[in-house]
Amino acid sequence: MHSTVVSSVYAVCSDAAGFAGNIFAFVLFLSPIPTFRRIIRNGSTEQFSGMFHIYAFLNCLICLWYGMPLVSPGIILVATVNSIGAIFQLIYITIFVVYAEKPMKLKMLGFLISILAFLDAPSRQLFVGCLSVASLISMFASPLLIINLVMKTRSVEYMPFSLSLATFLMGLAFFVYGMLKHDAFIYVPNGIGTGLGTLQLALYAYFSDASREELKHPLIGP
């Protein structure tokens, strides 16, 4: 009787973590909308990086693949959220390519074609799981590619807070979900992602404060 209750509570907690992960992932998928509204309004991608969306698209496709019942039974919540995410990321990539300058346009298209060609290969659970780990870590780390610009300009204008926060929350929720499901292919990359998300938020807080201080105390020339 006691073991049945514990098992039921465990299942409820596992499902709750999975649903929370889905909600935070959906928030993550929506968070770039203000950025893309700005891109469309200005007719330019400016200094925004499109690589996050390339990595996110790759991650969504691989995690969708990994979460399918035929590959990994019992983690359907991973498949459902990533099927939606793949659609969002493909839309973002399309908009970015349309408004990007020619060199970036060709680079993004090259990455996209490579992803679609690569995913045509046959695989097993271990292979897909390893790909999932690599793609998740790449997705979580990709916003840090802009850090050189952030440090150079001492501005977080091109590192949106909503994206960093949603990345952190999604990583944390799926880390818990993976732990409860005893699935290292889920909890390892999302645990790393939670750490990287924390780093992004810390950088955002630091450079936001630095920017406000400069506005309060502008440098006065001789």
Side-chain angles (χ1 to χ4, degrees), residues 1 3 5 32 36 38 44 55 75 82 141 153-154 162 212:
M1 178 67 179
S3 61
V5 172
F36 280 89
R38 172 173 167 174
S44 170
Y55 287 124
I75 56 170
N82 282 287
T153 62
R154 299 184 65 82
S162 58
R212 280 195 291 267

Side-chain angles (χ1 to χ4, degrees), residues 61-110:
L61 291 179
I62 293 175
C63 289
L64 168 61
W65 198 0
Y66 181 70
M68 295 298 288
L70 291 176
V71 178
S72 304
I75 56 170
I76 191 64
L77 289 174
V78 172
T80 55
V81 70
N82 282 287
S83 62
I84 298 171
I87 296 171
F88 271 96
Q89 299 307 329
L90 187 57
I91 292 171
Y92 293 143
I93 291 169
T94 302
I95 295 172
F96 199 93
V97 167
V98 168
Y99 289 99
E101 295 182 359
K102 189 173 181 179
M104 179 57 71
K105 194 188 299 281
L106 294 175
K107 180 180 178 181
M108 295 283 288
L109 285 172

Side-chain angles (χ1 to χ4, degrees), residues 64-185:
L64 168 61
W65 198 0
Y66 181 70
M68 295 298 288
L70 291 176
V71 178
S72 304
I75 56 170
I76 191 64
L77 289 174
V78 172
T80 55
V81 70
N82 282 287
S83 62
I84 298 171
I87 296 171
F88 271 96
Q89 299 307 329
L90 187 57
I91 292 171
Y92 293 143
I93 291 169
T94 302
I95 295 172
F96 199 93
V97 167
V98 168
Y99 289 99
E101 295 182 359
K102 189 173 181 179
M104 179 57 71
K105 194 188 299 281
L106 294 175
K107 180 180 178 181
M108 295 283 288
L109 285 172
F111 273 113
L112 184 60
I113 292 170
S114 299
I115 288 171
L116 296 176
F118 179 71
L119 288 175
D120 193 41
S123 62
R124 295 178 182 273
Q125 182 180 8
L126 178 61
F127 177 64
V128 181
C130 291
L131 285 179
S132 176
V133 170
S135 65
L136 268 168
I137 293 173
S138 297
M139 184 193 77
F140 285 127
S142 59
L144 295 175
L145 294 173
I146 201 71
I147 191 59
N148 285 334
L149 180 63
V150 171
M151 294 180 72
K152 183 178 179 180
T153 62
R154 299 184 65 82
S155 169
V156 291
E157 180 182 3
Y158 296 104
M159 191 171 75
F161 173 75
S162 58
L163 185 63
S164 298
L165 179 61
T167 298
F168 167 75
L169 293 174
M170 187 194 76
L172 181 60
F174 273 112
F175 169 72
V176 174
Y177 180 70
M179 290 291 289
L180 293 173
K181 289 291 186 180
H182 305 291
D183 193 324
F185 290 132

Side-chain angles (χ1 to χ4, degrees), residues 4 41 160 181:
T4 302
R41 184 175 64 249
K181 289 291 186 180

